[in-house]
Amino acid sequence: MITIGIIGKTNVGKSTFFAAATLKDVEIANRPFVTINPNEGIGYIRVKCVHTEFNVKCNPKNSICIDDYRFIPVKLIDVAGLIPGAHEGRGLGNKFLDDLRQADALIHVIDASGSTNEEGVPVEPGSRDPEEDIKFIENELNEWFYSIINKDWAKFARTTDLSGKDLVEALLSKLSGISVNRSHIIETLKATKLENLKLMQWTEQDLRAFAKTLREISKPMIIAANKSDLPQARNNIKRLKEKYKWVIPTSAASEMALRKAAKAGIIAYIPGDNDFTILKPLNEKQKSALEYIRSSVLQVYGSTGVQEAINTATVDALNMIVTYPVEDEKKLTDRNGNVLPDAILLKKGSTPKDLANAIHTELAKGFLYAIDVKRKMRVGENYQLQNNDVIKIVSSTARPS
């Protein structure tokens, strides 16, 4: 399962974001270091379910279908807030960074209204530039990666060069503890133009460039510009969107209120929607709160941003597509008759054999060919899967029950 780390300095709404995304109870308070142990939960990406293309009713097993939307689970980790100097152990920095090792992508929650200083202490809204928080978090992560790569570098470089060991394999072994894979290292070496240079020739500048680029490639980061409903946030968000690739206006508190109201049957709301429908009579306080969310968040930005942030981290930053494997290509079912039961997240560019391996390694070992159900044609192991493909795997090895 894909793992997304929810990061940021203290007191910006990380725990509220996490709670809204998972509806899991966490301690939420207006004070630094409220999150000491990482909170882990399940969030979901939202995609249009492929059942709409076949005019059938699906029966999901590994995911959820609400109306015409398939919600596919991803693991979310909310870890201790960062403060400047975390990579040197300041605050809960070492713990924070250790908890992030398993993350595939990062959602950086910032206070877009500028109402918390660098230590996470509340200040006058608008008095803090949220871009400073983006810069310091990026610097902490870059320094963390650099410290891991630089540890015993001279000895590592000498041993690798003199032994003739494969450069990529050597670096992969050294960095295996931070969820870095072979393709990450190859891409980073090419981007930094270090692939043909002996390790002993790398300068400190080379090492730092490699660390920064590897961090950006192996743990892509999107920015959830939280507290977007506050007036001071709007200009900041507009400015940040011009400078950074993925900036999502977010109101985690609004999302949590909507999800709780929907769970209680007060409103009809699907995570990621741009509006809601009131189902029960409301008192004035409830009416006022919901109208504020509608007018200050949904009508301004089109959503609360929480669902969009998870989708952006998964689909855009990690380049994932959704594929639906079936065993009966005519009925679109598994062996038990469940219609379109599984929605599998795979890296863009994946093949049917990759899909077989994601289902079960035994299925991949005996892979013969696949059937593209939409086009009703056979495809080989080199076919590049497309988003929303429905695929039958034909293998000489039966999938274990």
Side-chain angles (χ1 to χ4, degrees), residues 89-102:
R90 189 161 178 257
L92 299 172
N94 289 335
K95 182 169 180 51
F96 165 93
L97 296 168
D98 281 342
D99 291 335
L100 268 193
R101 289 177 187 272
Q102 61 185 297

Side-chain angles (χ1 to χ4, degrees), residues 122-140:
V123 294
E124 184 71 22
S127 62
R128 169 76 174 174
D129 182 356
E131 187 175 3
E132 293 302 312
D133 297 330
I134 296 173
K135 289 177 179 177
F136 109 69
I137 288 286
E138 287 186 340
N139 180 65
E140 292 298 332

Side-chain angles (χ1 to χ4, degrees), residues 4-63:
I4 299 173
I6 313 299
I7 68 170
K9 71 179 185 184
T10 61
N11 205 20
V12 294
K14 288 190 303 85
S15 294
T16 306
F17 183 102
F18 174 85
T22 62
L23 275 186
K24 182 177 179 179
D25 292 332
V26 296
E27 185 181 4
I28 299 169
N30 190 29
R31 58 187 174 85
F33 305 127
V34 72
T35 308
I36 296 175
N37 295 311
N39 293 300
E40 296 185 1
I42 300 297
Y44 297 85
I45 72 159
R46 165 181 162 154
V47 295
K48 193 83 168 178
C49 185
V50 78
H51 81 248
T52 58
E53 299 181 36
F54 292 93
N55 198 28
V56 297
K57 182 176 174 58
C58 64
N59 182 211
K61 290 299 176 186
N62 78 334
S63 45

Side-chain angles (χ1 to χ4, degrees), residues 162-383:
L162 294 178
S163 68
K165 189 175 180 181
D166 179 72
L167 172 62
V168 175
E169 288 301 320
L171 288 168
L172 183 61
S173 176
K174 182 175 179 59
L175 302 170
S176 60
I178 50 175
S179 294
V180 168
N181 62 39
R182 186 179 178 85
S183 64
H184 292 150
I185 292 174
I186 292 172
E187 189 177 346
T188 302
L189 287 169
K190 287 180 179 177
T192 53
K193 296 182 171 57
L194 293 169
E195 68 265 48
N196 295 318
L197 203 63
K198 291 285 188 182
L199 293 181
M200 286 189 291
Q201 294 177 293
W202 286 23
T203 64
E204 182 182 349
Q205 186 178 353
D206 291 332
L207 273 173
R208 288 192 175 277
F210 181 84
K212 179 178 182 294
T213 306
L214 182 63
R215 191 271 302 169
E216 292 170 344
I217 289 172
S218 67
K219 298 192 188 300
M221 181 164 62
I222 72 153
I223 298 162
N226 198 32
K227 305 183 185 179
S228 64
D229 55 305
L230 298 182
Q232 295 85 354
R234 294 192 187 182
N235 284 335
N236 286 333
I237 290 171
K238 183 179 178 182
R239 176 168 53 87
L240 293 173
K241 278 192 166 191
E242 293 171 354
K243 295 187 68 173
Y244 295 89
K245 189 173 183 179
W246 294 301
V247 177
I248 312 299
T250 305
S251 176
S254 295
E255 179 69 13
M256 187 154 68
L258 292 177
R259 291 201 189 191
K260 285 188 173 181
K263 191 175 182 181
I266 296 171
I267 63 171
Y269 171 73
I270 299 175
D273 276 359
N274 61 7
D275 203 358
F276 55 85
T277 303
I278 295 172
L279 302 176
K280 292 181 180 180
L282 304 175
N283 59 41
E284 287 304 314
K285 186 177 179 181
Q286 290 171 322
K287 283 181 186 177
S288 176
L290 288 172
E291 185 50 42
Y292 175 81
I293 292 172
R294 178 177 275 152
S295 62
S296 299
V297 180
L298 300 180
Q299 291 178 351
V300 176
Y301 301 111
S303 78
T304 68
V306 172
Q307 185 62 62
E308 187 182 350
I310 297 171
N311 264 52
T312 301
T314 307
V315 177
D316 297 321
L318 288 176
N319 263 324
M320 306 301 284
I321 61 170
V322 183
T323 308
Y324 298 80
V326 297
E327 293 190 48
D328 187 324
E329 71 272 29
K330 294 190 172 80
K331 295 180 180 178
L332 306 176
T333 60
D334 62 10
R335 67 179 67 175
N336 298 315
N338 298 304
V339 178
L340 298 167
D342 296 327
I344 307 292
L345 286 168
L346 292 171
K347 196 84 170 175
K348 191 174 182 180
S350 293
T351 66
K353 194 166 184 180
D354 294 324
L355 174 61
N357 197 58
I359 297 168
H360 201 284
T361 52
E362 288 301 313
L363 204 61
K365 284 179 184 177
F367 180 88
L368 298 173
Y369 62 90
I371 296 173
D372 180 336
V373 176
K374 290 183 184 179
R375 295 186 295 161
K376 299 180 180 177
M377 63 181 290
R378 181 185 295 197
V379 293
E381 65 177 79
N382 294 323
Y383 166 71

Side-chain angles (χ1 to χ4, degrees), residues 119-157:
E119 302 282 349
V121 177
V123 294
E124 184 71 22
S127 62
R128 169 76 174 174
D129 182 356
E131 187 175 3
E132 293 302 312
D133 297 330
I134 296 173
K135 289 177 179 177
F136 109 69
I137 288 286
E138 287 186 340
N139 180 65
E140 292 298 332
L141 293 174
N142 291 341
E143 288 294 329
W144 171 48
F145 263 60
Y146 173 71
S147 68
I148 293 170
I149 292 167
N150 191 48
K151 185 177 181 181
D152 298 325
W153 176 259
K155 180 181 178 182
F156 167 76

